[in-house]
Amino acid sequence: MTLQSSIEEKLTTAFAPERLDVINESHLHAGHQPDITGAGETHMRVRIVSASFAGMTRLARHRAITELLRPELDAGLHALAVEPAAPGEPVRW
C-alpha cells in the first residue's frame, strides 16, 4: 500500500469525510534539500471536508489530523499541508 493510500484510509476511517483529496506534491519540492529528489512520497497535501470538524477551531482540526498521521510523519513524511473544513464552509479548492 502506498503512503497516499494509507493516509486516505486513515482519514476516511477517522473522519468519514464528505470530500477527501490526498495529493502527492513531492515532485514540486525536488532539490530543496539534498536528500529530497522529488520521487516518492515525501510531501502530501490533505484537503478534507468532514462533519467531524464542525465546531472545531482551525488549529484543533490541524492537530487532530496531525496526531492521526503522526506515525507517517515519524516514519519520514517530510511535509504535510492540511486544508480542513466542515460542510458548508467555503474552501479555496
Side-chain angles (χ1 to χ4, degrees):
M1 175 181 287
T2 66
L3 178 60
Q4 184 173 353
S5 297
S6 174
I7 290 171
E8 288 169 352
E9 185 176 298
K10 282 182 140 182
L11 292 169
T12 298
T13 300
F15 300 110
E18 289 183 7
R19 181 173 174 195
L20 174 63
D21 295 311
V22 178
I23 305 158
N24 183 347
E25 296 184 338
S26 301
H27 65 284
L28 300 174
H29 300 276
H32 86 252
Q33 286 186 354
D35 60 335
I36 304 291
T37 65
E41 297 178 299
T42 58
H43 293 71
M44 295 290 183
R45 176 172 303 276
V46 171
R47 293 177 170 162
I48 184 170
V49 176
S50 172
S52 299
F53 299 136
M56 293 175 73
T57 66
R58 183 171 170 85
L59 181 59
R61 295 170 184 184
H62 277 256
R63 284 182 177 156
I65 292 169
T66 301
E67 285 310 307
L68 178 69
L69 300 179
R70 176 68 49 211
E72 288 77 5
L73 290 161
D74 290 345
L77 178 59
H78 180 74
L80 178 65
V82 179
E83 299 177 50
E89 292 179 347
V91 295
R92 297 180 305 163
W93 37 275

